[in-house]
Amino acid sequence: MIATRRQGGHVITRSSGPEQSPENEYQRELAAFARDLKDLKLVNGIGYRDFEKISQKHSLSVPLSASGVSEVMSGKRWPSRDFLLALVRVILIQQDGCLVELGDSRLQQWDHRWKRLVQLRDRAKQSTPLEVQHGSPPDKPAPVQIDFVPPPGDATLQELDSAKSDLREILFNLEEHATHVRNEFRQVLGEQSRVAAELSRLAELLEKERNHNEQLERQIEELEQLRGELGRQLEDLRDQLAEIDSDKAVLFEDESELNDRRAMLNFDWARYEEDRRARAEAEAARLRGELADVKHKLEAADRLIRDGQSY
């Protein structure tokens, strides 16, 4: 099996060997590390914007922006040791409800896992033979998880507002992801143009020399393969942008529906209050009528009593 990874400005393809190779061990540890980090965030119910607020509140030395945390959680960026410890520290502060010191044993465990991953990564690089080295196509960005579930039909205003807040956070993350994909799209497009120009130059040089230079032929063959790979990456990025636009349209429709439902709830509440006021006014009018009738009867009774007394 062949595994491809980035190193510096190049793409390095290495043969991974048997299942127990250092590369496979590194990939397993990396997957477990990422899964456990996401689970820790999920269990404590902390949002991306909360990281920056909590880190500023407790004056942590490493700034944690919402976009930076999102890139680490989605696997787009490998965190530095300080960034990881600050990230985990904020989650533990949220969990404990108080400041967590750097000497906390839970932080030390994550520090140990980070150092072990670095060792495994270096060992994997050293143990696998280099096969191909050319170009710098970017890694495929991780997709944004869209797990918005519209509230039930009988949801309250508070539930609708909460759902709207969740939806806006998803849209924020989706827009950041779209920006990231567009930047990579421009990068790959520029790289493809550079490769096409270099391919054309070498083809012209080969045509002029007519000496079947083996080195030039190998370079042309490798550039042809790289151009094809870049073309496939462009198609993938185009599909991602189309999918993002589609997801945004659906989410905007959900937001519009939430606004309509909130407006309908407000309208129903106002109509209920108007009906109740009308019934109250009608009841008051009826009671006033009865009061006037009783008053007339009392006055008639008083007259009869006075007339009886005069006789």
Side-chain angles (χ1 to χ4, degrees), residues 152-161 258-272:
D154 57 350
T156 64
L157 279 174
Q158 183 178 4
E159 290 173 333
L160 290 177
D161 288 338
L258 286 176
N259 290 332
D260 291 343
R261 290 169 62 181
R262 290 181 74 256
M264 182 61 67
L265 281 176
N266 286 326
F267 175 76
D268 291 342
W269 178 82
R271 186 171 58 184
Y272 168 75

Side-chain angles (χ1 to χ4, degrees), residues 85 89 100-109:
L85 293 180
R89 192 179 181 191
V100 175
E101 300 298 335
L102 286 173
D104 189 284
S105 60
R106 295 168 295 180
L107 280 176
Q108 298 305 315
Q109 291 174 2

Side-chain angles (χ1 to χ4, degrees), residues 1-3 14-24 127-129 131:
M1 187 175 69
I2 303 298
R14 304 173 186 272
S15 59
S16 61
E19 288 300 315
Q20 299 300 324
S21 68
E23 175 65 21
N24 287 340
S127 63
T128 51
E131 293 180 355

Side-chain angles (χ1 to χ4, degrees), residues 18 26 37-38 40 46 58 74 87 98 111 127 133 151 170 176 185-186 196 203 207 249 256 277 283 296 300 307 310:
Y26 166 68
L37 188 60
K38 289 180 181 179
L40 184 64
I46 182 172
H58 293 278
S74 61
L87 187 151
C98 60
D111 186 25
S127 63
Q133 181 174 341
I170 293 174
E176 282 196 339
F185 184 88
R186 285 191 289 268
E207 180 67 23
S256 176
R277 186 165 49 251
E283 181 65 15
H296 291 321
D307 291 343
S310 65

